[in-house]
């Protein structure tokens, strides 16, 4: 594609902006690739190469004149900075949202192939991000739930007790007791929950010794198809897959059945996490969240000043945790942050009002 003869200064400025963004996005993928190995590295380098092709398109329109190219947009620059420092799942989640905002679909100067590339890039990045989400799902869930529960439950406890009119010392020790009790309860609960989930999944896994019977199965009356149907395949797919597996096993001979011959879809142990990691994450994050509402009382504040300070600190923390969940889920960080804040403060407000009511009754 050559530069339109009617190109205006505004057109050329727009192409330079696109050129800067493509260069920055390619740099992001190269930075991420430098921190990966194997297949993920290859995929990220392929994405960088695709951005390079887009870069070449805008350079052609500019007759190779890349001078005066502005800085990339703020989102892409932030992505680049995060990729250089962390190279984490957060960057992939942000990149997923960035790819979804590509203007090429409605820009006549971009080719249909470029617009299609950007849409597919979003799906590629979504797939890479989902791998990272699965790897941290168990521990991350425990961390987020622990921090959120610590923030909300201890704020509610501190405000409810404080509203009854007791001294700040009583509020402080109540908050510390709530911190310890809640953190221990959360840690123990997460350990039992994750261990139980893993045990249930292990109980559902195929018996490894059962595959030894495959070599003697009747191909025409294939009982293996029933295994696949029981594990979710439809009848036709189960019959075809079972016949293929039995034929391969019998052709290879006794004792050669593959270890996954009875498996339809393996459960993902990484997505469950380990009981100990989940327990430790839940304990530490609950404790760190529960500490925040107590801080004003630890520093000697009391009365309405302590209540307001605790509420503000917890509100900030709720906004941060909500935004992090939004980023990792590929959703709007602002919406998740506001949702987290409204739920947390709503629960605390109820207990504060109940504390006021009880305080008036006791007085």
């Amino acid at each position: 594609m050559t530069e339109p003869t009617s190109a205006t200064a505004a057109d050329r400025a727009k192409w330079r902006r696109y050129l800067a963004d493509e260069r920055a996005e390619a740099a992001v993928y190269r930075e991420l690739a430098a921190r990966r190995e194997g297949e993920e590295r290859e995929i990220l380098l392929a994405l960088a190469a695709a951005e390079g092709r887009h870069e070449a398109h805008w350079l052609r329109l500019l007759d190779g004149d890349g001078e005066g190219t502005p800085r990339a947009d703020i989102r892409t620059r932030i992505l680049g900075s995060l990729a250089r420092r962390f190279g984490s799942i957060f960057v992939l989640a942000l990149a997923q949202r960035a790819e979804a905002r590509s203007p090429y679909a409605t820009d006549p100067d971009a080719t249909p192939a470029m617009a299609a590339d950007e849409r597919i890039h979003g799906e590629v990045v979504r797939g890479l991000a989902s791998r990272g989400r699965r790897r941290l799902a168990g521990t991350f869930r425990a961390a987020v739930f622990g921090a959120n529960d610590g923030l909300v439950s201890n704020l509610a406890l501190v405000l409810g007790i404080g509203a009854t009119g007791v001294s700040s010392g009583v509020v402080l020790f109540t908050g510390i007791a709530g911190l310890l009790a809640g953190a221990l309860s959360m840690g123990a609960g997460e350990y039992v929950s994750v261990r139980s989930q893993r045990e249930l999944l292990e109980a559902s896994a195929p018996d490894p010794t059962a595959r030894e019977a495959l070599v003697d199965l009747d191909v025409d009356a294939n009982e293996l198809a029933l295994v696949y149907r029981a594990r979710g395949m439809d009848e036709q797919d189960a019959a075809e897959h079972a016949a293929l597996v039995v034929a391969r096993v019998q052709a290879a001979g006794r004792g050669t059945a593959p270890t996954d011959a009875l498996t339809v879809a393996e459960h993902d142990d990484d997505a469950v996490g380990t009981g100990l990691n989940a327990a430790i994450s839940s304990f530490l994050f609950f404790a760190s969240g529960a500490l925040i509402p107590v801080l004003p009382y630890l520093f000697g504040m009391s009365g309405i000043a302590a209540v307001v300070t605790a509420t503000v600190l917890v509100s900030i923390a709720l906004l941060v945790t909500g935004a992090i969940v939004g980023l990792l889920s590929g959703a709007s960080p602002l919406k998740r942050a506001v949702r987290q804040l409204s739920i947390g403060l709503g629960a605390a407000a109820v207990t504060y009002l109940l504390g006021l009511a009880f305080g008036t009754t006791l007085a």
Side-chain angles (χ1 to χ4, degrees), residues 6-64:
S6 59
T8 64
D11 289 331
R12 295 179 69 83
K14 179 186 68 174
W15 298 338
R16 285 192 168 89
R17 287 197 305 273
Y18 286 160
L19 177 62
D21 289 345
E22 293 292 357
R23 286 174 172 171
E25 288 171 10
V28 168
Y29 291 131
R30 284 193 293 270
E31 292 282 356
L32 290 173
R35 298 170 181 269
R36 295 293 197 276
E37 296 178 353
E39 187 180 36
E40 289 191 19
R41 177 183 173 84
E42 294 174 5
I43 292 171
L44 288 164
L45 289 175
L47 289 174
E51 303 297 355
R53 293 193 298 271
H54 298 176
E55 175 188 340
H57 170 81
W58 300 118
L59 272 175
R60 283 195 300 272
L61 289 183
L62 291 164
D63 291 330

Side-chain angles (χ1 to χ4, degrees), residues 142-200:
V144 169
F145 287 173
N148 189 69
D149 284 355
L151 288 164
V152 175
S153 65
N154 228 30
L155 177 65
L157 179 63
V158 166
L159 295 189
I161 293 295
T164 64
V166 299
S167 68
S168 59
V170 172
V171 177
L172 172 60
F173 285 110
T174 300
I176 293 174
L179 183 158
L180 293 173
L184 290 169
S185 175
M186 286 289 293
E190 277 295 331
Y191 180 82
V192 171
S193 173
V194 173
R195 284 295 303 169
S196 298
Q197 186 177 1
R198 291 182 70 87
E199 288 164 1
L200 287 172

